[in-house]
Amino acid sequence: MIKVTFISRDGKKTIVEGNHGETLLDLAQKNNISEIEGACEGCLACSTCHVVVDNSWYDKLPVACDDENDMLDLASGLTGTSRLGCQIILTPELDGLVVWIPADVNNLLLT
Ligand code: FES
């Protein structure tokens, strides 16, 4: 199992475990982390799965593709370590990953 810590906008930590090959978005939805919406269900057609990867983990992720970067450009609260949760595939190397929910998100579930 691959352990991931989600840190909410109010600083609350939620530690969950996922399987190799599962996306970070799937993991969030499975564990009712509602601050990550995932409106297009991983089709790279929204930015509602935007997360901010902890600095210590960002370089361990594969580089974002052009389509992901294009959608990230539309995300609210973009940072230098922003990624789309639907594009982060859990691998054993990511055991311990820490991601933050952006302070400003495009999420219909929260409005
Ligand atoms: Fe839409 Fe990730 S869920 S881009």
Side-chain angles (χ1 to χ4, degrees):
M1 297 299 279
I2 299 155
K3 195 176 290 186
V4 176
T5 300
F6 291 91
I7 303 178
S8 70
R9 291 189 291 174
D10 62 5
K12 181 179 157 225
K13 288 185 183 179
T14 303
I15 300 172
V16 297
E17 290 185 329
N19 297 306
H20 185 186
E22 193 171 23
T23 69
L24 193 71
L25 174 63
D26 290 340
L27 186 64
Q29 291 178 334
K30 193 169 79 178
N31 289 281
N32 301 314
I33 297 175
S34 60
E35 291 171 301
I36 302 176
E37 183 180 1
C40 78
E41 300 180 356
C43 296
L44 278 175
C46 73
S47 57
T48 63
C49 61
H50 174 206
V51 295
V52 176
V53 177
D54 190 81
N55 280 334
S56 62
W57 285 95
Y58 185 75
D59 289 338
K60 296 182 171 82
L61 298 176
V63 174
C65 68
D66 289 346
D67 288 343
E68 181 179 354
N69 283 324
D70 288 347
M71 291 314 303
L72 277 170
D73 285 342
L74 304 176
S76 294
L78 189 67
T79 75
T81 63
S82 288
R83 293 294 301 264
L84 294 179
C86 68
Q87 300 303 304
I88 297 175
I89 311 288
L90 298 181
T91 62
E93 294 74 28
L94 295 180
D95 185 32
L97 178 66
V98 177
V99 297
W100 303 71
I101 309 301
D104 185 16
V105 292
N106 294 329
N107 185 338
L108 294 176
L109 299 176
L110 299 177
T111 57

